[in-house]
Amino acid sequence: MRDEFLDRLRSVLGEVVDDPDILDSHRNDHATFCTAGVPRALVRPTSTSEVQEVLRLASEFRVPVVTQGARTGLSGAANAVDGCLLLSTARLNRILEISAEDQVAVVQPGVVNAELSRAVLEQGLFYPPDPSSWEMSTIGGNIATNAGGLCCVKYGVTSDFIRGLEVVLASGEVVRTGRRPAKGVAGYDLTRLIVGSEGTLGVVTEATLALRPAPEAALTAAATFRTIEDGIAAAAAVMAAGLSPSLLEFLDQPTLRAIQGYRDMGLPGDAGSMLLAQSDRGALAADDVARIAEICSAHGAVDVAEASDAEESAMLLEARRLVNPALERLGITLIDDVSVPRSQLVTLLRGIADIGTQYDVLIFCPGHVGDGNMHPTVVFDRGDAAAEARALQAFGAVMELGLRLGGTITGEHGIGTLKAQWLETELGPVGLELHRRVKAAFDPLNLLNPGKVLL
């Protein structure tokens, strides 16, 4: 039976993928635990005008559209819904401009984060947002989830570096938000509204990104502690001392052991916690690292290693970037993303340990301790229904704990489907209703990534 919608799409794009095996391989992002539907087809437009045509046809035929980047997300935001059209931005992958004078880059959404970072570095510039998946994740996906990264403690998240966007609405209309200059406050801030909306308000086809002068090579310190409390106390003291580390990361004992089991990094299995800290302040970096090392020692560090050059620093940080693959080999991972005030971190970590005991589950807890964004990760065996039920209960209990401590259910991974049921708890009924009205204004037919963010 002929499919008029797909026929019309082919007349516009040429290639429309409806092979079941290919579609099945594109159903999920990295949150494989989250439900994914069966898509109708996959398209890979190469221009804004093609995206416009796709969305016009989708609106005409009332076909839901799920936009996908590299599918490295961790909340199910890029998962298919039944009967949807998957719109991949993989071929919208050009760096259109890098301006050293204006300190901006203009890029399409399919550009990979690390490739952009290397390209701007060649011109003495720096794009700070660096999620752990930066060698795979795309700028469009980073925008969709308002991704963070290892250097958020100093530089902030993706939204802090978005000057403007080109967005195709569900109707096929194009809107440009923001502006190129560093300052501009005319009208509502539609740019920040789009960033973090997870493809529910429009399809980003171009982004103007703010850049900074490239810092000198960073230096790193790594400190191990007997307990979680000592590591957290040292991190708090580093921040209170007026230092401005470009990175401050935390690894608990279970995570250290998982990384060491995945790859021999020389990590001590008996350490209760580890801090990784970095300074990129050029000639002052060595002094910063030495001061951080002193603070860690004063707070009970068992061992402190100071990197002497950039190569040694990179080796120390490799362990942090191995967290996700190290945990994924142990079972299904439910990666939480709670952020709390730094003053509440010890209470959060103790509470997470109690939750793991209460529900008899393994919970690993790495995170960006410098800005209070932790990633408690519940790991359970695939196919064990009882373990799955306990894991879900523990996952929810961690989010409840984070909210009670004045925090949020997500600091950088987004809502997707994984946390949609918890959003009302955080926003409250009035806030949630405002979200729904905004969604209806942008997408009155509810065709863009339906069922994500808002239930």
Side-chain angles (χ1 to χ4, degrees):
M1 180 181 297
R2 298 189 64 82
D3 187 323
E4 183 182 356
F5 172 63
L6 297 189
D7 287 344
R8 294 273 297 278
L9 277 177
R10 288 188 178 97
S11 71
V12 172
L13 299 177
E15 180 194 49
V16 175
V17 178
D18 58 1
D19 179 275
D21 291 334
I22 296 177
L23 294 180
D24 186 63
S25 70
H26 284 74
R27 291 175 61 212
N28 296 86
D29 63 14
H30 277 201
T32 55
F33 176 79
C34 294
T35 301
V38 179
R40 187 169 177 177
L42 165 71
V43 295
R44 301 183 181 97
T46 60
S47 66
T48 298
S49 61
E50 287 186 349
V51 174
Q52 288 183 271
E53 292 299 325
V54 167
L55 292 186
R56 287 175 185 142
L57 285 170
S59 292
E60 178 182 342
F61 285 86
R62 302 298 194 266
V63 176
V65 176
V66 176
T67 304
Q68 295 182 333
R71 294 180 293 115
T72 59
L74 297 167
S75 65
N79 284 10
V81 298
D82 285 335
C84 75
L85 179 68
L86 298 177
L87 191 162
S88 169
T89 61
R91 293 178 180 171
L92 290 162
N93 59 0
R94 290 184 297 147
I95 298 174
L96 302 174
E97 179 189 0
I98 298 173
S99 170
E101 183 176 9
D102 290 338
Q103 292 188 349
V104 299
V106 182
V107 306
Q108 292 182 313
V111 172
V112 173
N113 184 297
E115 292 177 359
L116 172 67
S117 295
R118 286 189 280 267
V120 302
L121 184 60
E122 291 177 0
Q123 298 196 31
L125 298 168
F126 174 44
Y127 179 64
D130 67 336
S132 294
S133 59
W134 76 318
E135 290 285 1
M136 300 179 289
S137 65
T138 60
I139 297 299
N142 296 168
I143 291 170
T145 59
N146 200 4
L150 302 186
C151 65
C152 287
V153 63
K154 181 173 182 177
Y155 294 104
V157 295
T158 297
S159 59
D160 296 310
F161 294 88
I162 306 296
R163 292 276 179 85
L165 298 171
E166 178 185 82
V167 183
V168 182
L169 303 178
S171 62
E173 299 170 287
V174 174
V175 62
R176 283 190 170 270
T177 72
R179 64 275 307 155
R180 186 182 178 105
K183 294 176 68 176
V185 296
Y188 297 134
D189 193 345
L190 297 181
T191 301
R192 280 187 175 257
L193 186 59
I194 295 292
V195 177
S197 63
E198 302 182 35
T200 63
L201 302 182
V203 178
V204 173
T205 50
E206 184 180 295
T208 301
L209 311 176
L211 305 175
R212 295 210 178 171
E216 295 188 38
L219 295 180
T220 306
T224 57
F225 301 85
R226 291 185 178 86
T227 67
I228 284 175
E229 289 80 2
D230 287 347
I232 296 293
V238 168
M239 300 304 296
L243 295 168
S244 183
S246 54
L247 176 149
L248 190 58
E249 295 292 302
F250 177 86
L251 299 171
D252 65 344
Q253 184 181 76
T255 306
L256 287 168
R257 289 177 175 175
I259 296 168
Q260 184 64 17
Y262 178 73
R263 184 178 300 173
D264 185 3
M265 302 292 294
L267 299 177
D270 58 348
S273 62
M274 173 182 278
L275 282 186
L276 294 168
Q278 195 172 77
S279 173
D280 62 1
R281 294 206 305 150
L284 299 176
D287 291 339
D288 287 350
V289 167
R291 178 70 180 123
I292 290 169
E294 289 175 4
I295 291 171
C296 289
S297 296
H299 284 80
V302 176
D303 185 54
V304 181
E306 297 177 45
S308 58
D309 55 34
E311 183 177 355
E312 191 174 351
S313 290
M315 290 177 61
L316 287 173
L317 285 183
E318 185 180 1
R320 177 61 183 90
R321 294 195 183 275
L322 290 176
V323 167
N324 285 348
L327 297 186
E328 285 170 358
R329 68 189 284 272
L330 301 178
I332 300 291
T333 56
L334 284 172
I335 303 177
D336 226 320
D337 179 33
V338 295
S339 290
V340 299
R342 286 196 297 265
S343 60
Q344 297 296 326
L345 279 168
V346 169
T347 304
L348 176 71
L349 270 292
R350 286 174 177 164
I352 289 170
D354 291 341
I355 289 168
T357 300
Q358 179 183 352
Y359 293 102
D360 189 25
V361 294
L362 290 173
I363 305 181
F364 301 80
C365 200
H368 314 304
V369 69
D371 54 28
N373 184 194
M374 304 303 288
H375 295 309
T377 302
V378 185
V379 179
F380 63 96
D381 291 334
R382 188 182 299 272
D384 186 334
E388 177 181 323
R390 295 196 308 274
L392 286 170
Q393 289 177 306
F395 185 82
V398 170
M399 284 191 284
E400 287 180 347
L401 174 62
L403 291 174
R404 286 200 307 273
L405 297 177
T408 175
I409 59 175
T410 178
E412 59 185 6
H413 292 171
I415 299 295
T417 60
L418 187 63
K419 297 188 174 185
Q421 64 177 313
W422 293 94
L423 187 60
E424 183 173 4
T425 304
E426 177 164 339
L427 296 179
V430 176
L432 188 66
E433 178 58 27
L434 285 173
H435 275 62
R436 288 181 173 141
R437 292 178 192 175
V438 169
K439 167 68 170 171
F442 277 80
D443 178 23
L445 298 177
N446 192 29
L447 295 178
L448 298 181
N449 216 6
K452 313 297 175 59
V453 184
L454 300 174
L455 292 175

